[in-house]
Amino acid sequence: MLSAYARLRDRGVACASSAADTILELFARMLFLAIRPNEITLVAVIGACSELGALGHGVWAHAYAVKRRLAVNCIVATALVEMYTGCGRLDLAEKVFTTASDRDTLCYNAMLHGLTIHGHGRAALTLFDIMPRAGVLVDGVTMLSVMCACAHAGLVDECLEYFDRMEIDFGIEPRIEHYGCVVDMLSRAGRLDYADKLIHEMPIAPNAAIYRSLIRACSIHGKLELGERMVAKLMRLEPDDSGNHKTRKEMKSMGIDKNPGSSLVDINGVLHEFLVGDKTHPASKEIYAMVEEIETRLSEHGHRSSTSSVLFDVEEEDKADTLSYHSERLAIAFALIASNAGAPIRIIKNLRVCADCHESAKLVSRVYGREIVMRDRTRFHHFRDGMCSCGDFW
Ligand SMILES: [Zn+2]
Ligand SMILES: [Zn+2]
């Protein structure tokens, strides 16, 4: 599998992960030279597996540590929790967490984050309540996870309460990411005027992500005037950003392009990578035929492509003609051809999944009877029987 990573790196696709590749290669060399790894080595290796979504390697590193009696201390346990949640195995993460001999703030934070990104908001809140009783300090990261957990579970008022309490009860000053979480939640809940007010009143300068949350909501709720105002602020903040639709065409002609969408799918331990509209895969012909077949079957089940919200859509992939060829569609089509019937499909995507691909994946899970686990830029989606664990909130 290491050679698969090397291949990706050579193509310049996974350049952000090249450090992780190097760590795994070094680890393999250490073992070959019979140099005994210690806990620090282990944490680096587990972190690399987490970044690459290389579950198989991660499980192996964990088993190696247990077998060689390397101390699974707090730091190693935290790394394992992060790796297992990052690879879509919340069950294994919980097992490591509950059996860890001691757990500090970082360890709790890792577990809280895992529960949150996997859509287990209520469980995250229960875990948070245990922290003070267990004598574990709460920090800004803890608060962010708890607020996101509320937001994802649709607990708007609870989230606002935690936001208000963090400074009073825990002495933690809200940072940009806390404001971002609240603005995003208010936007999704349709409380746009409140979000606008918060942006106006916050003591630190809003960032692009905050404007984007509100812009997206304005587009959904038809608040064009507020949306335009936020787009203007975003443009002022990021005049060179290639993601803005309004200037996308001009930018393309100037030679600036967006980060292309790419998806990795794991078939029997080998990673296959697809870019948007990719035709380089050896099975490309079959894959495109499968994409067509999926489209036909899904349309029989009432699926209609939606290309709305193009005006304000500032971070997803191109919609119009490439919709069916978004990288995850190709990855899913290939997995349906190449993996065993009924086997879960695991996909790692570099961008946020678009609404149409999300809808399509939900239907595929039902029509083809496959569980699909997709990690996108921000969170996990477990598609099963026509539903997604995110509750359409991402
Ligand atoms: Zn898409
Ligand atoms: Zn989802």
Side-chain angles (χ1 to χ4, degrees):
M1 210 193 302
L2 286 174
S3 61
Y5 301 140
R7 184 181 64 82
L8 296 184
R9 189 190 48 217
D10 291 345
R11 290 178 52 187
V13 176
C15 43
S17 305
S18 61
D21 289 344
T22 311
I23 289 170
L24 289 189
E25 281 166 12
L26 276 175
F27 184 56
R29 202 173 306 162
M30 270 181 88
L31 296 181
F32 179 71
L33 296 172
I35 302 171
R36 191 182 155 81
N38 61 14
E39 286 81 6
I40 297 167
T41 327
L42 204 61
V43 168
V45 169
I46 295 166
C49 295
S50 177
E51 195 183 320
L52 293 166
L55 178 64
H57 279 79
V59 170
W60 188 88
H62 186 189
Y64 179 89
V66 172
K67 210 161 56 191
R68 296 297 167 103
R69 297 183 196 286
L70 289 174
V72 178
N73 58 23
C74 203
I75 301 166
V76 177
T78 305
L80 285 169
V81 168
E82 282 172 350
M83 186 272 292
Y84 281 131
T85 54
C87 291
R89 291 300 302 267
L90 196 60
D91 55 332
L92 296 178
E94 282 184 306
K95 210 165 151 191
V96 170
F97 182 78
T98 48
T99 55
S101 52
D102 72 317
R103 291 175 290 210
D104 62 1
T105 303
L106 292 179
C107 197
Y108 269 89
N109 285 352
M111 196 63 236
L112 277 174
H113 179 68
L115 289 166
T116 302
I117 61 170
H118 284 275
H120 296 250
R122 296 274 179 188
L125 297 185
T126 308
L127 185 63
F128 174 70
D129 285 339
I130 296 171
M131 289 181 74
R133 273 185 275 140
V136 180
L137 272 183
V138 166
D139 67 8
V141 179
T142 319
M143 291 312 300
L144 185 63
S145 275
V146 168
M147 285 164 53
C148 288
C150 290
H152 290 175
L155 305 169
V156 177
D157 292 325
E158 284 86 342
C159 179
L160 292 172
E161 204 184 309
Y162 282 119
F163 183 59
D164 287 340
R165 274 178 52 194
M166 63 187 282
E167 195 151 13
I168 302 161
D169 289 5
F170 301 104
I172 303 161
E173 205 179 317
R175 296 164 54 113
I176 189 80
E177 53 270 27
H178 300 102
Y179 282 100
C181 174
V182 176
V183 169
D184 188 48
M185 178 194 66
L186 291 170
S187 302
R188 287 165 188 275
R191 290 162 75 170
L192 306 188
D193 293 333
Y194 194 165
D196 182 30
K197 185 167 171 277
L198 189 66
I199 289 178
H200 190 68
E201 289 173 355
M202 57 191 278
I204 27 183
N207 61 14
I210 288 183
Y211 289 128
R212 286 197 180 102
S213 308
L214 189 49
I215 290 166
R216 201 161 48 231
C218 286
S219 140
I220 293 166
H221 293 276
K223 290 261 196 174
L224 293 189
E225 193 214 334
L226 181 57
E228 293 284 357
R229 194 147 54 78
M230 291 300 133
V231 169
K233 291 193 179 196
L234 178 63
M235 295 284 284
R236 226 171 296 146
L237 192 65
E238 285 191 335
D240 301 327
D241 186 80
S242 59
N244 197 311
H245 272 258
K246 290 195 156 188
T247 50
R248 172 180 276 183
K249 280 201 177 118
E250 299 153 46
M251 290 199 178
K252 269 191 174 162
S253 66
M254 284 159 63
I256 306 167
D257 214 339
K258 280 187 63 157
N259 193 10
S262 87
S263 291
L264 287 170
V265 62
D266 185 339
I267 306 288
N268 303 324
V270 179
L271 290 174
H272 296 260
E273 184 231 5
F274 296 92
L275 298 182
V276 55
D278 201 339
K279 293 204 167 138
T280 58
H281 195 279
S284 195
K285 230 173 129 190
E286 291 84 348
I287 292 167
Y288 277 82
M290 191 65 191
V291 169
E292 299 272 312
E293 190 199 307
I294 295 171
E295 290 290 299
T296 312
R297 278 190 72 179
L298 295 196
S299 65
E300 285 163 14
H301 285 79
H303 179 64
R304 294 281 171 277
S305 295
S306 119
T307 50
S308 62
S309 75
V310 167
L311 170 63
F312 290 123
D313 177 9
V314 285
E315 64 176 355
E316 289 163 0
E317 296 172 278
D318 272 314
K319 295 239 166 184
D321 51 351
T322 51
L323 198 56
S324 305
Y325 306 121
H326 280 177
S327 56
E328 63 271 48
R329 302 270 182 118
L330 301 175
I332 288 173
F334 178 61
L336 286 175
I337 300 169
S339 63
N340 298 331
I345 298 172
R346 295 179 185 282
I347 290 172
I348 296 178
K349 182 175 160 67
N350 64 338
L351 302 177
R352 181 176 169 271
V353 57
C354 83
D356 197 70
C357 289
H358 191 268
E359 210 48 40
S360 158
K362 275 164 52 177
L363 268 174
V364 167
S365 73
R366 180 154 61 84
V367 174
Y368 287 84
R370 291 288 194 114
E371 191 186 336
I372 302 170
V373 182
M374 189 189 293
R375 179 173 105 185
D376 76 2
R377 197 169 52 76
T378 53
R379 56 176 295 123
F380 264 94
H381 304 269
H382 293 247
F383 301 97
R384 186 186 287 165
D385 201 25
M387 315 259 273
C388 182
S389 61
C390 76
D392 297 336
F393 187 111
W394 77 97

